[in-house]
Every structure is written in C-alpha cells, then in structure tokens.
C-alpha cells in the first residue's frame, strides 16, 4: 500500500518536494514487488517512473495502478492543465499520456504546469465498460476531490480540465461545483448529458474533434436496459449541446496533444487565457 499522506494544502516547493520524495519511495517499492513476481514490463515502467526528475503527487500500484504526475513547477504556475485520459491508459501504457503532457507543458511555457491524472481504472477501448458510465461514476468523486485539493493548494492558479475520449465522461460526472475555469472535451464519445446545462457547472465548457477522429462514427445515443444504460449521449461538438467550439485540426483520435498540431495550440490557448 502507498504511504499515507495528508491532503496537499499548499503547493510550496518544500511541501511538493516532500510529497514527490515519498511517492518516489512508493514507486520503488512497487518496482521491487513487480520484479519479485517476474513482471518485467511493470517493473520497467515503474523504474522509469522512479527517476529523480519525475514528480508524482500520488501513486498506487494496486488494482492496475493509479498515478498523478506533475510536469513543470506547480508552486509557481499561473495556469494548470489537468489531463484526464480515456480508455486503455494504465501504468504499462502510460507513455502516450506522458508524451501528451510533456508536449502541452512545452506549449504552455514557464508559466504553465500540467498534471497527468491517471486516477481511475480506465476501460478497454474494445470492452462493454466503454459503452457505459460505470467506470466514470466511480472515477468522478476522485477527480472532484483532486480538483478541490489542487485549487486549495494553488489558489491563484487558473485550472483547466482537459478530458480526452472516455475521460470526458469522467469530467462531466465530476463537473458540478468544481472550482475550475474550463472543462475541455476532446475526442469525446459523449458526456452522458444532452447539453452543457445538465453538467451544472460554472466553468466554460469546450468541445472539439479532429477531422480524422474515428469517434465521430460512434452513435450518440443512450439506451436504457434492465441494469444499466448503454451509450454516452449527445455529441458534445453538436450545436445543440451548447459547448464552445475550438479548432481541433485534422488529426485522429490520439493526435490532439501531438507536438506542432493545431489542436495542441488550441488547447494551450484555452488553458492560457480561456480563448481558443
């Protein structure tokens, strides 16, 4: 089990360094356990995560793994983007999320920080779970709790949630009452709502989709069955949903945070000043 730490109440350099060091020790312990069980892939991933330059606010290697990593100086950042990933993201498949966070941090410059929030067990892209809100419903309280903790620790920072694919449903479920400036849905299969109004948030809600994103072909329906509802609802980029639109370029489903892309520049502008 990870070491027990109190909530982060101040994003001072000393507080952050102490937390990063504690989580590094947790990751190294998990690496030793994975190596002892012969799980070379997990051990290699954890070895990379335990590098002295990495900055983890939280880590839990149990049940598939959870982590929250910071890119940049959270103690000085005036703008903070929280990346909420979608399906098929895990500790073993963390590279794409990390690469996107690095690219966004570079685009934001010195005044910005990025947080990669892998705080839930993501569904598989080809799985029954990706068609329902179950995983998102369980993840949303964790995301809401983290967002509140972050806004308390960094009260002067402008915080934006950047929510990719199934992660957009997680953000939508957590949206009500969050003290964030923006909720950005991109590559979204649906937010489990028919309109922005149903999210009950004062944040600016944005939506964008790349011209070659296969998610456009996903039916935007919700079908109630005996024990669950299948489908994730209205298309967030549709006019009727009511989100602010941004230029997501012509990329595919995994290209939104690609260095040099139109979508990356748009996302950075939203995080920077609330304009696309």
């Amino acid at each position: 089990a990870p070491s027990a730490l109190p909530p982060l109440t101040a994003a001072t350099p000393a507080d952050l360094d102490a937390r990063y060091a504690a989580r590094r020790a947790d990751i190294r312990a998990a690496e030793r356990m994975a190596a002892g069980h012969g799980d070379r892939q997990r051990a290699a991933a954890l070895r990379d995560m335990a590098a002295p330059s990495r900055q983890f606010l939280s880590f839990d290697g149990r049940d598939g793994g959870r982590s929250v990593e910071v890119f940049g100086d959270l103690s000085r950042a005036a703008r903070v983007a929280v990346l909420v990933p979608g399906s098929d993201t895990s500790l073993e498949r963390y590279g794409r999320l990390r690469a996107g966070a690095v690219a966004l941090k570079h685009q934001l410059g010195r005044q910005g920080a990025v947080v990669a929030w892998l705080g839930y067990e993501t569904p598989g892209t080809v799985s029954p779970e990706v068609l329902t809100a179950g995983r998102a419903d369980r993840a949303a309280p964790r995301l809401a709790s983290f967002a509140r903790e972050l806004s308390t620790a960094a009260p002067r920072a402008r915080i934006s949630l950047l929510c990719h694919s199934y992660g957009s449903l997680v953000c939508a479920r957590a949206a009500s009452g969050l003290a964030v400036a923006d909720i950005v849905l991109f590559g979204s299969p649906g937010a489990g709502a028919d309109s922005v109004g149903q999210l009950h948030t004062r944040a600016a809600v944005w939506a964008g989709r790349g011209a070659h994103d296969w998610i456009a072909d996903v039916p935007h329906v919700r079908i109630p069955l005996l024990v669950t509802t299948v489908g994730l609802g209205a298309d967030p980029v549709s006019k009727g949903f009511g989100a602010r639109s941004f230029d997501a370029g012509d990329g595919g489903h995994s290209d939104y945070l690609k260095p040099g892309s139109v979508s990356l520049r748009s996302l950075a502008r939203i995080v920077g000043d609330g304009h696309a």
Side-chain angles (χ1 to χ4, degrees):
S3 53
L5 295 176
L8 184 67
T9 57
T12 66
D15 288 334
L16 290 171
D17 286 347
R19 188 164 296 253
Y20 296 154
R23 294 312 181 204
R24 191 171 299 116
D26 290 337
I27 295 169
R28 286 172 176 158
E31 178 200 343
R32 291 191 295 271
M33 184 175 294
H37 285 88
D39 191 340
R40 295 181 179 179
Q41 183 182 10
R42 169 65 72 93
L46 294 173
R47 192 175 307 115
D48 288 342
M49 288 182 167
S53 60
R54 306 288 289 270
Q55 303 177 140
F56 284 89
L57 288 175
S58 69
F59 174 85
D60 189 339
R62 299 172 297 180
D63 300 325
R66 316 277 189 276
S67 67
V68 179
E69 185 174 11
V70 175
F71 300 80
D73 188 348
L74 194 57
S75 68
R76 296 185 178 183
R79 306 287 185 267
V80 179
V82 179
L83 293 181
V84 181
S87 60
D88 281 332
T89 309
S90 64
L91 296 183
E92 289 85 359
R93 295 182 173 184
Y94 186 74
R96 187 170 61 195
L97 176 60
R98 174 173 165 75
V102 169
L104 181 58
K105 170 64 185 80
H106 180 75
Q107 191 73 34
L108 289 173
R110 289 186 298 176
Q111 291 296 309
V114 178
V115 178
W117 187 85
L118 179 56
Y120 76 113
E121 183 181 2
T122 67
T125 299
V126 183
S127 70
E129 289 82 8
V130 82
L131 301 175
T132 69
R135 296 280 177 95
D137 286 338
R138 292 191 290 275
R142 297 173 184 168
L143 177 59
S145 177
F146 174 74
R148 287 192 294 269
E149 186 176 342
L150 183 60
S151 62
T152 298
R156 297 180 182 177
R158 187 180 192 280
I159 300 171
S160 302
L161 299 184
L162 272 54
C163 319
H164 179 237
S165 194
Y166 189 87
S168 63
L169 183 60
V170 177
C171 290
R173 287 293 205 253
S176 180
L178 288 188
V180 298
D182 308 286
I183 297 175
V184 188
L185 315 176
F186 54 103
S188 175
D194 294 326
S195 67
V196 166
Q198 292 184 359
L199 301 185
H200 304 291
T201 179
R202 289 182 291 180
V205 179
W206 299 80
R209 184 169 62 223
H212 291 96
D213 189 341
W214 57 262
I215 208 76
D217 297 325
V218 172
H220 290 281
V221 297
R222 280 188 292 174
I223 304 172
L225 301 178
L226 286 176
V227 295
T228 189
T229 297
V230 174
L232 304 180
D235 187 349
V237 302
S238 66
K239 186 175 181 180
F241 189 78
R244 303 182 186 187
S245 63
F246 68 91
D247 188 353
D250 61 359
H253 191 63
S254 300
D255 296 334
Y256 291 93
L257 297 170
K258 187 176 180 179
S261 64
V262 170
S263 52
L264 178 64
R265 291 195 294 270
S266 294
L267 291 168
R269 283 195 295 269
I270 293 171
V271 173
D273 61 11
H275 296 88

